[in-house]
Amino acid sequence: MDRGPHRLAVVLNESEAGGSDGAVDAAALMARHGAEIVVVKRGPRGATVFERGGDAVEIPVYRSDSVFKIGSGDVFSAAFALHWGERGLAAASAADIASRSVASFVDGHALPLDDTTNQSAVAVRAADQRRIYLAGPFFDLAQRWLIEEAFRILTEFGAEVFSPLHEVGTGLSADAIAEADLEGLRGCSKVLGLLDGADSGTVFEVGYARALGIPVIALAERLDAENLTMIAGSGCEVVRDFTTAIYRVMWAGGR
């Protein structure tokens, strides 16, 4: 069947497009690939659609209770191709459906997705992007690796992160460390708490944050409900996997 003239859209992530600072040269990408559309996927911040001769359009990310990342990029690209390339929707509309499709997929891990996928999904808009306080123990290799990985990913997503390991370290007195850590915490708008191991310092930081009314995303993969009584009871959002914790703290404070 003749589908008319050849059309091309380039769908890629931020690192492929030029980085998380938003410096995307869409015109150069269009010229290089002979494309009329460029879609830049921005992880927990949605996507941006660039159209030749038009303004950039921001596409929201949609909330999900959990985030199973494997295959999510393929789902976005496939949904966009179907609705833009096959069904003729405007690029921004197709990208919005693709974003909804991703939210459904990462939450339910199931395919195929039908045309009514996630119509009631809630968009994350204007999430608070002030500093994230990264609370967690770093006394052994595994703990330190998790802190480093969380710090790296959040930074790559464009977040400003206060990490006691990176900003304060361990070479000061207990009084000086506590003062510096709590001063940093007071300057943050949300907390990611890595709670496995139930480190007393991390638990204290989480409680201090809640006393100040700062939202806390608490990652607890191995702690049982009994050990999370005060954490959950004080209004922390408890999640059970690392990727979901990263996304939920990025979304915290959004409308």
Side-chain angles (χ1 to χ4, degrees), residues 149-187:
E149 190 72 355
F151 183 83
R152 178 186 66 81
I153 294 171
L154 289 170
T155 302
E156 288 180 356
F157 279 157
E160 185 180 358
V161 181
F162 183 96
S163 163
L165 172 62
H166 297 88
E167 305 239 7
V168 180
T170 60
L172 304 176
S173 68
D175 287 350
I177 289 174
E179 181 179 353
D181 286 355
L182 295 180
E183 181 180 358
L185 178 51
R186 288 190 292 269

Side-chain angles (χ1 to χ4, degrees), residues 59-64 66 68-83 87 89 93-122:
I59 306 300
V61 66
Y62 289 88
R63 290 187 185 276
S64 57
S66 63
F68 177 79
K69 278 281 293 173
I70 297 173
S72 60
D74 294 332
V75 168
F76 185 100
S77 297
F80 179 82
L82 171 64
H83 292 283
R87 296 182 175 173
L89 269 63
S93 297
D96 187 78
I97 293 173
S99 186
R100 293 173 184 270
S101 298
V102 167
S104 181
F105 173 75
V106 299
D107 212 12
H109 314 173
L111 291 172
L113 303 172
D114 61 34
D115 286 348
T116 62
T117 293
N118 235 4
Q119 291 301 307
S120 61
V122 177

